[in-house]
Every structure is written in C-alpha cells, then in structure tokens.
Amino acid sequence: MPLDPQVLAYRARRAAAGTPQLYTQTLAEARAADLAAIRAGGGDAEPVHEVRDRTVPGPAGDLPVRIYRPAGDGPLPTLVYFFGGGWTLGSIDTADGICRRLANAVPCQVITVGYRLAPENRFPAAVLDCHAATAWIAAHADELGVDPTRLAVGGDSAGGNLAAAVTLLARRDGVPALAGQLLVYPNTLHRGETDSMRESEDPYLFNRTSVDWYWGHYLADPADGRNPLASPLLAEDLGGLPPALVITAEYDPLRDEGERYAERLREAGVPTELARYSGMIHGFFAMSGVLDGGRHALDRAAGWLRARLHAPAAGGESVGPDRGPVGARRADG
C-alpha cells in the first residue's frame, strides 16, 4: 500500500520546514534533534506508579538505568529495554515514552539501559554493556523486585539489534534465562543489499544513507560487521533462543533484514511472530502521538509481552488464539 496518510502528513511537514537529515548534522546537533523529534512524536508521557533512576555495574564503569514499575507488590515480570538511535544517538530519555506505555499496558516492570554510544565507544561496547546490565539485573532480582523466571529483552532499531545480540550471549553463557525478545525494526545485517534497502532513498525519511551513517560510527572496522553480535542474521545457529516478536515497517530500509531474521528464528524452531505494519516508516513505534500505527504496534507488543510474561510457564509455548508453538505469523498493522 502507499504511505499511510498520517506518514504523508509527517513527511510534508518535514519537507515544508526544510528539516535536515540527522546525518548532515554534527553529533551534538543530531543527538539533540533526535531527542526533540522523539518527544514531539511520542505524545504526552503516561504516568507510571514509580519511575526511578539508578546505576548498575558495567564492563567499563557504572551504567545509568531507569526503572518503570507499575503498581504491585513482590517480584514483577520485567522487560529490559534498549533504546534506538543507531548506536550513536539516544539515551534512556529517548525510550521514555515507549517504556511508560509498556509498563502500564503489559503490565510489567521495564528497565531501560544507558549503554555507551559510538563513535566514542565503538562495537562491541554497546553489546557488552547491554549484556552485562541484563545479567546483573537477573542476578540481583531480589534487590530490583524482578521475577527472574519472567525476564525478557527488547528494543527498537539499534536497540533491537542489541537485544538480539544479548540473547546470543545469554544462550552462550547459559544465563540469564530469557522468556522472550521484542525486536522492533531491528538492524540484523551490516551492508545488507536487500530490496527494502535499495528502495529507501527518500530525502525526508530514514533511508539507506541514514543506515550507512550509523554503521560508519558504530564499527571501527567494516570487517566487524561479519560478527554475529553486530549482524545477528549471520549467526550460524539461532536454535534455543527465546520466543520472539519481530515488528517491521513497510517503508523501512531495515524491513527485509528484520523479516529474514524472523524467518531464520522460525526455521530454528523458535516460537516467532512477525508483524509488518503497512504504510509505516522506520521510527513509527516511537511516534504514537502522531501515528495511529505506532499506537497499534505498542498495543501489539504489550499483548505479546503479556502472553509471554504472565503465562503460567513464561518460557514455554506461546498461548492465545492467534499463535501456535512454532511459526512466524505475519500481520499487517
């Protein structure tokens, strides 16, 4: 289908204002503009029962985390969430709206991690930070009010890439046990020459030049892009990973690599759902204030997490009328 009418209106506003692409700006300018755009598109912040900031140990020093806790006593199911921004932009503030919405809607505790950014800290710094934080959260479940049997990871864009990488490391180490992975238009392949990448040239939307700009900051050496922790699609074996929901957007250069990753997970026997949102663009998940598709996707993610984290056996088969134990289900938004 064509671009959603709300996306067309958003694009028209950017064109009329002459909004520069982030990749044309300095890092400081791009980081400020990215946060401002996300706050403008996310709508009003939802109140959550408790929101607090703290730090957790990381491999190169303390990492900031923000904890969103809905009402409820005792250990809660928990989602560890990694923000997007091409490993170069973003902060725990970037994901604030998403984390608030999911904490209330699932409901579950959400902890977002402030990992180190590139190019100041290139690959694999962000992966190591996210894995270390997730492992620490699981190991200190009592302190944080986490139910370690109902722990999931998730993220959007580069955050989805990091969530996928964390599942690979958790499988390698045997800890922590993860009940699910929420991957929202994830980067899964460095220099992937897919149809969706080749088709993405729009100067007013996230495009293939945007993707190249982020990878250029993230990797010290292009050869690092062959590492599965940078390109999870290149992992030889995806068996034994936690159940997944993969969300993609029709007009996103990352669409095909995200959908191929969902297919690879399914082929490996991982219970997987795939939801492509027609007419949507990269970033729509964080734009629920201006795009109905963003609200629908957040609701879909919350419903999937609810099934994973509130089921009697969170690590077992998916439950519900629209999902089986194994199989990618594709649903247009």
Side-chain angles (χ1 to χ4, degrees):
M1 71 177 277
L3 282 170
D4 183 274
Q6 291 178 328
V7 173
L8 284 172
Y10 164 77
R11 184 189 181 282
R13 289 193 298 272
R14 287 177 59 83
T19 305
Q21 285 279 20
L22 296 175
Y23 54 74
T24 67
Q25 303 179 50
T26 67
L27 277 179
E29 291 169 342
R31 286 169 175 167
D34 178 60
L35 178 58
I38 288 173
R39 284 175 168 167
D44 295 335
E46 290 190 14
V48 177
H49 177 70
E50 180 185 6
V51 179
R52 61 191 174 96
D53 292 331
R54 61 162 294 169
T55 60
V56 302
D62 287 346
L63 299 170
V65 300
R66 182 168 294 162
I67 301 171
Y68 303 81
R69 189 173 177 90
D73 297 325
L76 294 180
T78 298
L79 170 69
V80 182
Y81 195 85
F82 310 122
F83 57 82
W87 314 279
T88 303
L89 315 179
S91 67
I92 56 176
D93 291 325
T94 308
D96 186 69
I98 291 171
C99 293
R100 288 173 178 272
R101 179 73 174 265
L102 293 177
N104 288 331
V106 175
C108 70
Q109 183 169 237
V110 181
I111 303 177
T112 187
V113 178
Y115 56 86
R116 288 172 290 167
L117 297 179
E120 297 91 339
N121 300 278
R122 296 181 185 264
F123 172 82
V127 176
L128 299 179
D129 286 354
C130 292
H131 178 240
T134 304
W136 193 92
I137 288 166
H140 294 78
D142 289 346
E143 176 183 343
L144 296 172
V146 172
D147 181 346
T149 69
R150 296 186 292 169
L151 179 66
V153 294
D156 57 290
S157 193
N161 166 278
L162 293 169
V166 166
T167 69
L168 294 173
L169 291 173
R171 181 187 62 179
R172 181 198 68 186
D173 297 345
V175 290
L178 296 172
Q181 54 179 320
L182 168 65
L183 309 180
V184 182
Y185 34 75
N187 304 71
T188 67
L189 182 63
H190 177 235
R191 289 183 174 170
E193 282 300 319
T194 62
D195 288 344
S196 62
M197 190 69 71
R198 285 187 288 268
E199 294 163 0
S200 295
E201 300 286 357
D202 194 309
Y204 297 108
L205 300 174
F206 183 85
N207 56 40
R208 63 179 300 162
T209 303
S210 308
V211 177
D212 290 343
W213 187 74
Y214 289 123
W215 278 115
H217 285 301
Y218 186 44
L219 301 180
D221 183 339
D224 289 338
R226 306 301 297 175
N227 188 319
L229 296 180
S231 296
L233 190 57
L234 300 181
E236 291 185 8
D237 178 19
L238 298 181
L241 295 177
L245 170 62
V246 181
I247 291 175
T248 63
E250 182 180 9
Y251 291 94
D252 181 358
L254 304 182
R255 182 196 69 206
D256 290 350
E257 62 193 69
E259 295 182 359
R260 178 57 184 144
Y261 194 68
E263 181 64 17
R264 285 271 330 271
L265 288 169
R266 184 198 66 80
E267 291 170 352
V270 176
T272 301
E273 293 184 34
L274 170 62
R276 178 197 287 187
Y277 281 77
S278 299
M280 288 293 114
I281 55 173
H282 190 86
F284 82 100
F285 194 71
M287 299 173 67
S288 60
V290 295
L291 298 179
D292 290 342
R295 288 194 292 275
H296 296 159
L298 277 164
D299 289 343
R300 174 70 181 274
W304 182 85
L305 287 165
R306 190 179 309 121
R308 296 305 319 161
L309 299 180
H310 288 279
E317 296 179 349
S318 290
V319 294
D322 64 347
R323 55 178 72 85
V326 177
R329 177 178 179 270
R330 184 147 156 175
D332 284 343

